[in-house]
Amino acid sequence: MSDGPQERLAALGLTLPEVTPPLAAYVPAVRTGAYVYTAGQLPVVDGELIATGKVGAEVGPAEASALARVCALNALAAAASAAGGLAAIRRVVKVTGYVASTPDFTGQPQVVNGASELLLEVFGEAGRHARTAVGTAALPFDSPVEVDLIVEVSD
């Protein structure tokens, strides 16, 4: 068996979900040159937001990390749709994670690790990326987390 991203994803028991249709005036992903930029992705499964609330109040850090993982999977689906498939993604360049959190919560980096760790599991060293983890007062639809990606793609 090949050790490509699709096979690694399958070994994790995961498949790329359908790309969530935009909820406003944007597209899920845009390719320009050798890069794909995704829109922010929420923890949506089968068209439903699976959690709401603030991290540090209604949502615990471990749950939020798992939600960031779902966001990253959705972002991969969006990136793959613009890249011509998951195999066309050469490397993950940048991850930005937003965490809707209480004012005293400072564990945003650990929450966004959920996304980063998934990308490392799927792409190996090509999944190692630059990252920003930001705490924010609120996210769309009261989502606890949101993740977007920049990936480099093959020609």
Side-chain angles (χ1 to χ4, degrees):
M1 173 163 71
S2 173
D3 196 30
Q6 191 67 45
E7 291 78 16
R8 290 183 187 139
L9 195 65
L12 294 169
L14 300 172
T15 57
L16 286 182
E18 292 294 318
V19 178
T20 302
L23 302 171
Y26 65 91
V27 294
V30 172
R31 180 175 178 168
T32 182
Y35 297 95
V36 171
Y37 296 75
T38 72
Q41 300 294 312
L42 302 178
V44 171
V45 174
D46 297 326
E48 299 292 325
L49 184 64
I50 59 173
T52 59
K54 303 288 182 281
V55 181
E58 300 87 2
V59 180
E63 179 186 3
S65 182
L67 294 169
R69 188 175 175 92
V70 173
C71 294
L73 187 62
N74 290 338
L76 276 181
S81 74
L86 190 62
I89 297 174
R90 280 184 167 163
R91 75 165 294 119
V92 180
V93 176
K94 176 81 188 276
V95 172
T96 304
Y98 305 90
V99 182
S101 47
T102 59
D104 61 334
F105 183 78
T106 60
Q108 290 84 4
Q110 290 75 26
V111 169
V112 180
N113 275 349
S116 294
E117 290 166 359
L118 174 72
L119 298 168
L120 286 166
E121 291 169 10
V122 173
F123 291 100
E125 279 303 305
R128 198 164 300 284
H129 51 270
R131 186 180 88 179
T132 303
V134 178
T136 186
L139 289 169
F141 309 104
D142 198 27
S143 176
V145 294
E146 182 174 355
V147 171
D148 66 57
L149 303 177
I150 301 170
V151 298
E152 183 181 11
V153 297
S154 314
D155 292 332

